[in-house]
Amino acid sequence: MLEIRGICKSFGGVRASRDVTLTVPEGHITSLIGPNGSGKTTLFAQITGFLKPDAGSVHFLGEDITGMAPEAIARRGMVRTFQIVQPFTGQTVRENIAVGAHLHRASRADALARAEEVAHRVGLGDRLDLDAASLTVAGRKRLEVARALATDPKLILFDEVLAGLNPSEIRDVIPVIRDIRQSGITIFMIEHVMQAVMSLSEYSWVLNQGEVIAEGTPAEIVTDEKVIEAYLGKGMAKRIAERQGIHA
Amino acid sequence: MRQLVILAVVFAFIAAAPAIITSEFTQNVIIMVLYAALLGQAWNILGGYGGQFSFGHAAYFGTGAYTVAVLQVQLGVNPWIGLVIGALFSMAVAAFIGFATFRYGLRGSYFALVTLAFAEVLRILSNSVGFTGAGVGILIPLAPGAANMQFETKTGFFFLIWVLTLSSFLVVWWIGHSRFGASLAAVRDNEDAARALGVNAFRVKMGAIMLSGLFSGLAGIFYAQYFLYLDPYIAYGPAISVESLLVPIIGGMGTLFGPLLGAAALHVVSEATRELIGDVPGISLALYGALLVVMVMFMPRGLAGLLARLGVRRRAASGEMPRA
Ligand SMILES: Nc1ncnc2c1ncn2[C@@H]1O[C@H](COP(=O)(O)OP(=O)(O)OP(=O)(O)O)[C@@H](O)[C@H]1O
Ligand SMILES: [Mg+2]
């Protein structure tokens, strides 16, 4: 459904994407993981038109969308959320979500009705008339999800929607994400919370310093030597293996 | 819907004024307040609802004013036709300035400065070409009669400005209840987030600046017909740009009724200063500057915000009474 071919991006000396190639299949939850600063958000920004790749191309539903404007990409059915939440402060939760709902709905009444429906779906039904600025972190993350969902997308890119939430909030949001997948929307998510990756994602790519260093099911990923080293530092994989040998 | 009812009531009430108030002086006050409300509402579309702070609305005002005047004086075109052409020209100037600034993503103070520069360029141009009367100005010959948009009574001008101002308020009501308005507010509050949700920020801002320019131009056309004299400083000078933004800032940016409240308040304050200090040159600009600072520092949501807050407090107070 989404194909990324040989994406490269540098910021001065920092190589944020190095020849990234991957294909997101339709109908699944897949994920992008990697240590801080490994280039995950930058990759999302290039996929959704916020940044232009230095080289490579992005294809969505068979169409080359490299260099297209974000709004044009959203209209084709791919939307992203922001790691650093971006609510329309001063507007109510309902109005915030309605902006997304308007993408395919010209009528104000239809968009507001749709916003209400989506708010209930993500658990914001009781906060419809609150100013978005008054929401908690967890509430704002839900709002990001709701606005994206209200555009009736085919593919949603979630950038760390669970980061900053406490374990009970994470437990509350996981079923929401699963429910979105169930309704036929493909999900590609960046996630740091391994608990969520393990329980939600069917397939993952691991980025390190802008490069895909591993891919596979979550179970395969967590035992991958290169992945462990990327997260925990050089030599850790070996030490862990040794220690497991001692305990065995 | 409730807002539309209030709007209808307020404008119906204003419409009754000429029948009750026969004093020409007071009629003139009402006309000038409606005119300022139109000017402010025009700015409010782009600045209040769109978050794009223009310092150069004189560009549209002056274009409307000069178009209707030059067409009459140089080509003998009837001002009613001039009104249509002038409005279109103002809109075209707005489209040009919008394209030149939004295409390159100018925001905030850069946008403000560039709009100011455009207005100044037009002022200098109108000062140097012949057909505008250059620095001497242009005098529209007296030809009383509704057919020439030179009404013999104040009541005629009153209903002209009433219709123009009401139409701007209706458009702004629509903005508050439409997809266009929702997109515009989204772009104002967070352009990246809006674009991520499929809002074409460039197109939305173009729409806003063109509507804004249209109504600013209509205010200019009214001004030309009411005072029958223009010069580059009146039409394209900074005073109009400042008045355009001050009215909604005093009244409440991004609110439907803000420009009307602001226009009335500004009129009261300027009249009071004139009474107290007299007609000192430049006093109005100094006063505008001081007002701007005060409003931005102490009442960022304007009079409309103050009224809303008082309303909430009263409701809260009456809610507490049964418990007490
Ligand atoms: N606009 C920019 N200008 C310069 N450098 C940037 C820019 N955006 C990102 N970078 C750099 O690119 C690298 C990748 O950043 P990115 O935000 O994509 O990482 P990430 O994987 O999303 O990290 P995190 O897990 O912390 O969100 C970092 O070194 C970052 O400092
Ligand atoms: Mg990131």
Short mmCIF file of all heavy atoms in Angstrom, two decimals, chain A residues 173-224:
data_model
loop_
_atom_site.label_atom_id
_atom_site.label_comp_id
_atom_site.label_asym_id
_atom_site.label_seq_id
_atom_site.Cartn_x
_atom_site.Cartn_y
_atom_site.Cartn_z
N VAL A 173 -5.64 3.01 25.68
CA VAL A 173 -5.54 3.45 24.28
C VAL A 173 -5.31 2.28 23.33
O VAL A 173 -5.75 2.31 22.18
CB VAL A 173 -4.44 4.54 24.13
CG1 VAL A 173 -4.26 4.93 22.67
CG2 VAL A 173 -4.81 5.77 24.94
N ILE A 174 -4.62 1.24 23.81
CA ILE A 174 -4.33 0.10 22.93
C ILE A 174 -5.60 -0.45 22.24
O ILE A 174 -5.60 -0.65 21.02
CB ILE A 174 -3.54 -0.99 23.70
CG1 ILE A 174 -2.08 -0.49 23.83
CG2 ILE A 174 -3.58 -2.33 22.97
CD1 ILE A 174 -1.16 -1.43 24.56
N PRO A 175 -6.68 -0.68 22.98
CA PRO A 175 -7.89 -1.17 22.29
C PRO A 175 -8.44 -0.18 21.25
O PRO A 175 -9.00 -0.61 20.25
CB PRO A 175 -8.92 -1.35 23.41
CG PRO A 175 -8.21 -1.19 24.69
CD PRO A 175 -6.89 -0.58 24.44
N VAL A 176 -8.23 1.12 21.49
CA VAL A 176 -8.68 2.12 20.52
C VAL A 176 -7.95 1.92 19.20
O VAL A 176 -8.55 1.92 18.12
CB VAL A 176 -8.45 3.55 21.05
CG1 VAL A 176 -8.72 4.59 19.97
CG2 VAL A 176 -9.30 3.82 22.28
N ILE A 177 -6.64 1.70 19.29
CA ILE A 177 -5.83 1.51 18.08
C ILE A 177 -6.24 0.21 17.38
O ILE A 177 -6.39 0.16 16.16
CB ILE A 177 -4.34 1.50 18.45
CG1 ILE A 177 -3.94 2.89 18.99
CG2 ILE A 177 -3.48 1.13 17.24
CD1 ILE A 177 -2.53 2.98 19.50
N ARG A 178 -6.45 -0.81 18.19
CA ARG A 178 -6.83 -2.09 17.60
C ARG A 178 -8.18 -1.96 16.89
O ARG A 178 -8.37 -2.50 15.80
CB ARG A 178 -6.90 -3.16 18.71
CG ARG A 178 -6.77 -4.56 18.18
CD ARG A 178 -6.57 -5.57 19.29
NE ARG A 178 -5.19 -5.69 19.74
CZ ARG A 178 -4.83 -5.81 21.02
NH1 ARG A 178 -5.76 -5.78 21.97
NH2 ARG A 178 -3.57 -5.94 21.34
N ASP A 179 -9.08 -1.19 17.50
CA ASP A 179 -10.41 -0.98 16.92
C ASP A 179 -10.32 -0.24 15.57
O ASP A 179 -11.10 -0.50 14.66
CB ASP A 179 -11.26 -0.21 17.94
CG ASP A 179 -12.52 0.35 17.32
OD1 ASP A 179 -13.39 -0.47 16.97
OD2 ASP A 179 -12.64 1.57 17.17
N ILE A 180 -9.36 0.68 15.47
CA ILE A 180 -9.19 1.42 14.21
C ILE A 180 -8.77 0.44 13.11
O ILE A 180 -9.29 0.47 11.99
CB ILE A 180 -8.13 2.54 14.38
CG1 ILE A 180 -8.66 3.61 15.34
CG2 ILE A 180 -7.77 3.17 13.04
CD1 ILE A 180 -7.62 4.64 15.75
N ARG A 181 -7.83 -0.43 13.42
CA ARG A 181 -7.39 -1.45 12.47
C ARG A 181 -8.58 -2.33 12.06
O ARG A 181 -8.81 -2.61 10.88
CB ARG A 181 -6.29 -2.31 13.10
CG ARG A 181 -5.20 -2.81 12.17
CD ARG A 181 -5.63 -3.86 11.15
NE ARG A 181 -6.38 -4.99 11.74
CZ ARG A 181 -5.83 -6.05 12.27
NH1 ARG A 181 -4.53 -6.18 12.33
NH2 ARG A 181 -6.58 -7.02 12.75
N GLN A 182 -9.35 -2.71 13.08
CA GLN A 182 -10.51 -3.57 12.85
C GLN A 182 -11.49 -2.94 11.85
O GLN A 182 -12.15 -3.63 11.09
CB GLN A 182 -11.25 -3.81 14.18
CG GLN A 182 -11.56 -5.27 14.46
CD GLN A 182 -10.29 -6.08 14.70
OE1 GLN A 182 -9.53 -5.75 15.59
NE2 GLN A 182 -10.07 -7.12 13.92
N SER A 183 -11.57 -1.61 11.87
CA SER A 183 -12.51 -0.94 10.98
C SER A 183 -11.96 -0.81 9.56
O SER A 183 -12.58 -0.17 8.71
CB SER A 183 -12.86 0.44 11.54
OG SER A 183 -11.74 1.29 11.42
N GLY A 184 -10.80 -1.41 9.31
CA GLY A 184 -10.31 -1.46 7.93
C GLY A 184 -9.25 -0.44 7.59
O GLY A 184 -8.91 -0.27 6.43
N ILE A 185 -8.75 0.28 8.60
CA ILE A 185 -7.72 1.28 8.33
C ILE A 185 -6.36 0.68 8.64
O ILE A 185 -6.15 0.09 9.70
CB ILE A 185 -7.96 2.54 9.19
CG1 ILE A 185 -9.30 3.17 8.80
CG2 ILE A 185 -6.83 3.54 9.02
CD1 ILE A 185 -9.79 4.23 9.77
N THR A 186 -5.44 0.83 7.71
CA THR A 186 -4.08 0.33 7.91
C THR A 186 -3.32 1.29 8.83
O THR A 186 -3.51 2.50 8.75
CB THR A 186 -3.36 0.23 6.54
OG1 THR A 186 -4.18 -0.54 5.68
CG2 THR A 186 -2.00 -0.42 6.68
N ILE A 187 -2.49 0.73 9.70
CA ILE A 187 -1.76 1.57 10.64
C ILE A 187 -0.26 1.30 10.55
O ILE A 187 0.17 0.14 10.52
CB ILE A 187 -2.24 1.31 12.10
CG1 ILE A 187 -3.70 1.73 12.26
CG2 ILE A 187 -1.35 2.06 13.10
CD1 ILE A 187 -4.30 1.35 13.59
N PHE A 188 0.49 2.39 10.47
CA PHE A 188 1.95 2.31 10.49
C PHE A 188 2.38 3.22 11.64
O PHE A 188 2.09 4.41 11.61
CB PHE A 188 2.51 2.79 9.15
CG PHE A 188 4.01 2.66 9.00
CD1 PHE A 188 4.71 1.62 9.57
CD2 PHE A 188 4.71 3.61 8.25
CE1 PHE A 188 6.09 1.51 9.41
CE2 PHE A 188 6.09 3.50 8.08
CZ PHE A 188 6.78 2.45 8.66
N MET A 189 2.97 2.67 12.68
CA MET A 189 3.22 3.48 13.86
C MET A 189 4.67 3.49 14.29
O MET A 189 5.38 2.51 14.18
CB MET A 189 2.33 3.01 15.02
CG MET A 189 2.53 1.56 15.42
SD MET A 189 1.14 0.92 16.39
CE MET A 189 1.41 1.76 17.92
N ILE A 190 5.07 4.70 14.78
CA ILE A 190 6.35 4.82 15.45
C ILE A 190 6.06 4.60 16.92
O ILE A 190 5.12 5.19 17.45
CB ILE A 190 6.94 6.23 15.27
CG1 ILE A 190 7.31 6.48 13.80
CG2 ILE A 190 8.17 6.41 16.17
CD1 ILE A 190 7.81 7.88 13.54
N GLU A 191 6.79 3.74 17.56
CA GLU A 191 6.50 3.52 18.97
C GLU A 191 7.74 3.17 19.76
O GLU A 191 8.61 2.42 19.32
CB GLU A 191 5.44 2.41 19.10
CG GLU A 191 4.68 2.46 20.40
CD GLU A 191 4.25 3.89 20.76
OE1 GLU A 191 3.31 4.43 20.16
OE2 GLU A 191 4.90 4.45 21.65
N HIS A 192 7.82 3.75 20.94
CA HIS A 192 8.92 3.45 21.85
C HIS A 192 8.47 2.45 22.92
O HIS A 192 9.28 1.72 23.47
CB HIS A 192 9.37 4.73 22.58
CG HIS A 192 10.54 5.38 21.94
ND1 HIS A 192 11.66 4.70 21.57
CD2 HIS A 192 10.75 6.67 21.58
CE1 HIS A 192 12.52 5.53 21.02
NE2 HIS A 192 11.99 6.74 20.99
N VAL A 193 7.17 2.48 23.21
CA VAL A 193 6.65 1.63 24.28
C VAL A 193 6.61 0.19 23.76
O VAL A 193 5.77 -0.18 22.95
CB VAL A 193 5.23 2.09 24.68
CG1 VAL A 193 4.67 1.21 25.77
CG2 VAL A 193 5.27 3.55 25.13
N MET A 194 7.58 -0.63 24.21
CA MET A 194 7.71 -1.97 23.65
C MET A 194 6.49 -2.83 23.94
O MET A 194 6.08 -3.64 23.11
CB MET A 194 8.99 -2.65 24.17
CG MET A 194 10.25 -2.20 23.45
SD MET A 194 10.09 -2.12 21.65
CE MET A 194 10.39 -3.81 21.17
N GLN A 195 5.89 -2.58 25.09
CA GLN A 195 4.68 -3.31 25.45
C GLN A 195 3.64 -3.15 24.35
O GLN A 195 2.98 -4.12 23.93
CB GLN A 195 4.14 -2.73 26.78
CG GLN A 195 2.77 -3.18 27.20
CD GLN A 195 2.13 -2.14 28.15
OE1 GLN A 195 2.76 -1.16 28.56
NE2 GLN A 195 0.88 -2.36 28.52
N ALA A 196 3.51 -1.94 23.81
CA ALA A 196 2.54 -1.67 22.77
C ALA A 196 2.96 -2.32 21.46
O ALA A 196 2.15 -2.90 20.74
CB ALA A 196 2.37 -0.17 22.59
N VAL A 197 4.25 -2.21 21.15
CA VAL A 197 4.73 -2.79 19.89
C VAL A 197 4.46 -4.29 19.90
O VAL A 197 3.95 -4.86 18.93
CB VAL A 197 6.24 -2.51 19.72
CG1 VAL A 197 6.78 -3.20 18.48
CG2 VAL A 197 6.49 -1.01 19.63
N MET A 198 4.79 -4.92 21.03
CA MET A 198 4.63 -6.38 21.12
C MET A 198 3.17 -6.79 20.98
O MET A 198 2.87 -7.80 20.38
CB MET A 198 5.19 -6.90 22.45
CG MET A 198 6.66 -6.63 22.70
SD MET A 198 7.74 -7.45 21.51
CE MET A 198 7.65 -9.14 22.05
N SER A 199 2.29 -6.00 21.59
CA SER A 199 0.90 -6.45 21.60
C SER A 199 0.11 -6.00 20.37
O SER A 199 -0.91 -6.58 20.05
CB SER A 199 0.20 -5.99 22.87
OG SER A 199 -0.04 -4.61 22.80
N LEU A 200 0.58 -4.95 19.68
CA LEU A 200 -0.21 -4.43 18.56
C LEU A 200 0.38 -4.78 17.19
O LEU A 200 -0.33 -5.14 16.26
CB LEU A 200 -0.30 -2.90 18.65
CG LEU A 200 -1.27 -2.29 19.64
CD1 LEU A 200 -1.05 -0.79 19.72
CD2 LEU A 200 -2.72 -2.59 19.24
N SER A 201 1.71 -4.62 17.10
CA SER A 201 2.31 -4.61 15.78
C SER A 201 2.56 -6.02 15.27
O SER A 201 3.00 -6.90 16.01
CB SER A 201 3.62 -3.83 15.85
OG SER A 201 4.35 -3.99 14.68
N GLU A 202 2.31 -6.20 13.99
CA GLU A 202 2.52 -7.52 13.40
C GLU A 202 3.89 -7.62 12.74
O GLU A 202 4.40 -8.72 12.54
CB GLU A 202 1.42 -7.81 12.38
CG GLU A 202 0.03 -7.85 13.03
CD GLU A 202 -1.09 -7.59 12.05
OE1 GLU A 202 -1.25 -8.39 11.11
OE2 GLU A 202 -1.80 -6.59 12.20
N TYR A 203 4.44 -6.48 12.39
CA TYR A 203 5.72 -6.47 11.68
C TYR A 203 6.41 -5.15 11.98
O TYR A 203 5.75 -4.12 12.08
CB TYR A 203 5.48 -6.62 10.17
CG TYR A 203 6.70 -7.06 9.39
CD1 TYR A 203 7.01 -8.40 9.25
CD2 TYR A 203 7.53 -6.12 8.78
CE1 TYR A 203 8.13 -8.82 8.52
CE2 TYR A 203 8.65 -6.52 8.06
CZ TYR A 203 8.94 -7.87 7.93
OH TYR A 203 10.04 -8.28 7.22
N SER A 204 7.74 -5.17 12.15
CA SER A 204 8.45 -3.93 12.50
C SER A 204 9.70 -3.75 11.66
O SER A 204 10.33 -4.72 11.23
CB SER A 204 8.89 -3.95 13.96
OG SER A 204 7.79 -4.08 14.80
N TRP A 205 10.04 -2.48 11.49
CA TRP A 205 11.35 -2.13 10.92
C TRP A 205 12.11 -1.39 12.01
O TRP A 205 11.51 -0.59 12.75
CB TRP A 205 11.20 -1.21 9.71
CG TRP A 205 10.63 -1.91 8.51
CD1 TRP A 205 11.32 -2.52 7.51
CD2 TRP A 205 9.24 -2.08 8.20
NE1 TRP A 205 10.45 -3.07 6.59
CE2 TRP A 205 9.18 -2.80 6.98
CE3 TRP A 205 8.05 -1.71 8.83
CZ2 TRP A 205 7.97 -3.16 6.38
CZ3 TRP A 205 6.85 -2.05 8.23
CH2 TRP A 205 6.81 -2.77 7.01
N VAL A 206 13.39 -1.63 12.10
CA VAL A 206 14.19 -0.96 13.12
C VAL A 206 15.16 0.00 12.44
O VAL A 206 15.93 -0.40 11.57
CB VAL A 206 14.99 -1.97 13.97
CG1 VAL A 206 15.71 -1.25 15.10
CG2 VAL A 206 14.07 -3.06 14.51
N LEU A 207 15.09 1.26 12.84
CA LEU A 207 16.00 2.26 12.31
C LEU A 207 17.10 2.51 13.31
O LEU A 207 16.86 2.54 14.52
CB LEU A 207 15.26 3.58 12.07
CG LEU A 207 14.51 3.85 10.77
CD1 LEU A 207 14.03 5.29 10.78
CD2 LEU A 207 15.37 3.59 9.55
N ASN A 208 18.31 2.70 12.80
CA ASN A 208 19.39 3.16 13.66
C ASN A 208 20.25 4.09 12.84
O ASN A 208 20.70 3.72 11.75
CB ASN A 208 20.21 1.97 14.17
CG ASN A 208 21.22 2.42 15.22
OD1 ASN A 208 20.96 3.34 15.99
ND2 ASN A 208 22.38 1.79 15.22
N GLN A 209 20.45 5.30 13.33
CA GLN A 209 21.20 6.32 12.61
C GLN A 209 20.76 6.44 11.15
O GLN A 209 21.56 6.49 10.24
CB GLN A 209 22.69 6.02 12.70
CG GLN A 209 23.15 6.05 14.14
CD GLN A 209 24.66 5.95 14.28
OE1 GLN A 209 25.38 5.80 13.31
NE2 GLN A 209 25.13 6.05 15.50
N GLY A 210 19.45 6.43 10.98
CA GLY A 210 18.88 6.65 9.66
C GLY A 210 18.81 5.44 8.76
O GLY A 210 18.35 5.52 7.62
N GLU A 211 19.24 4.31 9.27
CA GLU A 211 19.34 3.12 8.43
C GLU A 211 18.45 2.01 8.96
O GLU A 211 18.35 1.83 10.18
CB GLU A 211 20.80 2.66 8.48
CG GLU A 211 21.30 2.03 7.23
CD GLU A 211 22.82 1.80 7.31
OE1 GLU A 211 23.43 2.14 8.35
OE2 GLU A 211 23.37 1.28 6.34
N VAL A 212 17.83 1.25 8.07
CA VAL A 212 17.06 0.08 8.51
C VAL A 212 18.05 -1.02 8.84
O VAL A 212 18.77 -1.49 7.96
CB VAL A 212 16.08 -0.40 7.42
CG1 VAL A 212 15.33 -1.64 7.90
CG2 VAL A 212 15.10 0.70 7.06
N ILE A 213 18.12 -1.41 10.14
CA ILE A 213 19.10 -2.42 10.50
C ILE A 213 18.47 -3.79 10.71
O ILE A 213 19.17 -4.80 10.75
CB ILE A 213 19.90 -2.02 11.76
CG1 ILE A 213 18.95 -1.72 12.92
CG2 ILE A 213 20.82 -0.83 11.47
CD1 ILE A 213 19.65 -1.72 14.27
N ALA A 214 17.15 -3.83 10.84
CA ALA A 214 16.50 -5.12 11.01
C ALA A 214 15.04 -4.99 10.70
O ALA A 214 14.48 -3.90 10.74
CB ALA A 214 16.68 -5.62 12.46
N GLU A 215 14.40 -6.09 10.38
CA GLU A 215 12.95 -6.09 10.22
C GLU A 215 12.43 -7.48 10.53
O GLU A 215 13.18 -8.46 10.49
CB GLU A 215 12.56 -5.66 8.81
CG GLU A 215 13.08 -6.53 7.69
CD GLU A 215 12.61 -6.04 6.32
OE1 GLU A 215 11.45 -6.32 5.97
OE2 GLU A 215 13.40 -5.35 5.64
N GLY A 216 11.16 -7.54 10.88
CA GLY A 216 10.59 -8.85 11.20
C GLY A 216 9.44 -8.71 12.17
O GLY A 216 8.99 -7.60 12.46
N THR A 217 8.98 -9.84 12.68
CA THR A 217 7.91 -9.80 13.67
C THR A 217 8.53 -9.30 14.98
O THR A 217 9.75 -9.41 15.16
CB THR A 217 7.32 -11.20 13.90
OG1 THR A 217 8.37 -12.04 14.42
CG2 THR A 217 6.79 -11.80 12.61
N PRO A 218 7.72 -8.77 15.88
CA PRO A 218 8.28 -8.27 17.14
C PRO A 218 9.13 -9.31 17.85
O PRO A 218 10.20 -8.99 18.39
CB PRO A 218 7.05 -7.90 17.95
CG PRO A 218 6.01 -7.60 16.94
CD PRO A 218 6.28 -8.50 15.78
N ALA A 219 8.71 -10.55 17.83
CA ALA A 219 9.47 -11.59 18.52
C ALA A 219 10.85 -11.75 17.90
O ALA A 219 11.85 -11.93 18.61
CB ALA A 219 8.70 -12.91 18.46
N GLU A 220 10.94 -11.66 16.59
CA GLU A 220 12.23 -11.77 15.92
C GLU A 220 13.11 -10.56 16.25
O GLU A 220 14.30 -10.70 16.49
CB GLU A 220 12.04 -11.84 14.39
CG GLU A 220 11.48 -13.16 13.91
CD GLU A 220 10.93 -13.07 12.48
OE1 GLU A 220 11.12 -12.02 11.81
OE2 GLU A 220 10.32 -14.04 12.04
N ILE A 221 12.48 -9.40 16.26
CA ILE A 221 13.22 -8.16 16.47
C ILE A 221 13.92 -8.14 17.82
O ILE A 221 15.09 -7.78 17.93
CB ILE A 221 12.27 -6.95 16.36
CG1 ILE A 221 11.69 -6.83 14.95
CG2 ILE A 221 12.94 -5.67 16.80
CD1 ILE A 221 12.61 -6.24 13.96
N VAL A 222 13.18 -8.51 18.88
CA VAL A 222 13.75 -8.32 20.22
C VAL A 222 14.92 -9.25 20.49
O VAL A 222 15.67 -9.04 21.43
CB VAL A 222 12.71 -8.49 21.35
CG1 VAL A 222 11.74 -7.32 21.33
CG2 VAL A 222 11.98 -9.81 21.26
N THR A 223 15.08 -10.28 19.68
CA THR A 223 16.23 -11.16 19.91
C THR A 223 17.35 -10.87 18.91
O THR A 223 18.39 -11.49 18.96
CB THR A 223 15.81 -12.64 19.78
OG1 THR A 223 15.18 -12.81 18.51
CG2 THR A 223 14.84 -13.03 20.88
N ASP A 224 17.11 -9.90 18.01
CA ASP A 224 18.11 -9.59 16.99
C ASP A 224 19.32 -8.89 17.62
O ASP A 224 19.18 -7.90 18.33
CB ASP A 224 17.46 -8.70 15.91
CG ASP A 224 18.36 -8.50 14.71
OD1 ASP A 224 19.45 -7.88 14.87
OD2 ASP A 224 17.96 -8.95 13.63
#
